[in-house]
Amino acid sequence: MNDSLIRWLFWIHLASTLFMIGVIWFVQIIHYPLFSSVGSAEFPAYEKAHTKRTAWVVAPPMLVELGTATLLLLFRPASISLEEALLGWVLLVIIWVSTYRLQIPDHERLTTGFDHRVHRHLVMSNWIRTVAWSARGLLVMVMANNMLQ
């Protein structure tokens, strides 16, 4: 893969990561905590709509981020170390495993009705993704600085 294409790949990767950092912090600080404010009767319909609409917003950038992270691991620019690329990829694995093993099952449980215990677990376990994406953000900013050197 030529250098110009690899650089474009990196900037797309950076954009998708930064987008997801904004989304995850919004979800963690505002969106998930407000679930408890939705009325009990309305909550199942709200949760189903929330899940469907959220997927349209987060699935494309998450897939782009994963794809570009994988390609950057395979076709690394000289300015990005193997350790940086691997760490970024490992953090993505943590995010994806957390999403599929913790957050998605909690959302599925909430489709039958609001449950304070499940809601608390969702909010608390989502810190895994929030911290991992924030760490990725710092990492890709270091990589961006290296790319610009």
Side-chain angles (χ1 to χ4, degrees):
M1 195 177 285
N2 71 39
D3 286 347
S4 179
L5 186 57
I6 291 171
R7 290 179 83 70
W8 271 103
L9 191 68
F10 174 78
W11 296 118
I12 292 167
H13 180 70
L14 175 71
S16 63
T17 298
L18 295 179
F19 177 83
M20 287 309 303
I21 291 168
V23 168
I24 201 66
W25 276 99
F26 174 82
V27 165
Q28 184 64 31
I29 302 301
I30 297 167
H31 192 60
Y32 280 174
L34 286 175
F35 275 21
S36 61
S37 299
V38 178
S40 296
E42 298 87 5
F43 192 82
Y46 174 84
E47 174 61 21
K48 287 175 188 163
H50 158 268
T51 303
K52 184 177 181 180
R53 290 180 180 194
T54 299
W56 283 102
V57 172
V58 300
M62 284 180 72
L63 290 168
V64 166
E65 183 182 35
L66 181 62
T68 55
T70 302
L71 289 170
L72 286 168
L73 187 58
L74 298 172
F75 305 102
R76 239 174 346 98
S79 61
I80 296 176
S81 72
L82 178 60
E83 292 78 13
E84 289 170 329
L86 274 173
L87 177 57
W89 204 84
V90 167
L91 287 168
L92 271 181
V93 169
I94 291 168
I95 290 163
W96 279 77
V97 168
S98 179
T99 299
Y100 280 93
R101 299 287 301 227
L102 300 172
Q103 288 75 48
I104 288 175
D106 282 348
H107 280 289
E108 288 171 355
R109 288 182 198 100
L110 289 170
T111 60
T112 60
F114 186 79
D115 179 310
H116 289 283
R117 184 186 57 78
V118 174
H119 175 248
R120 176 157 176 72
H121 183 264
L122 176 65
V123 172
M124 296 308 294
S125 69
N126 196 56
W127 278 109
I128 296 167
R129 296 188 305 176
T130 304
V131 169
W133 256 314
S134 297
R136 286 198 90 257
L138 292 173
L139 180 62
V140 296
M141 293 304 287
V142 166
M143 291 177 187
N145 183 57
N146 293 342
M147 294 280 289
L148 295 171
Q149 299 280 331

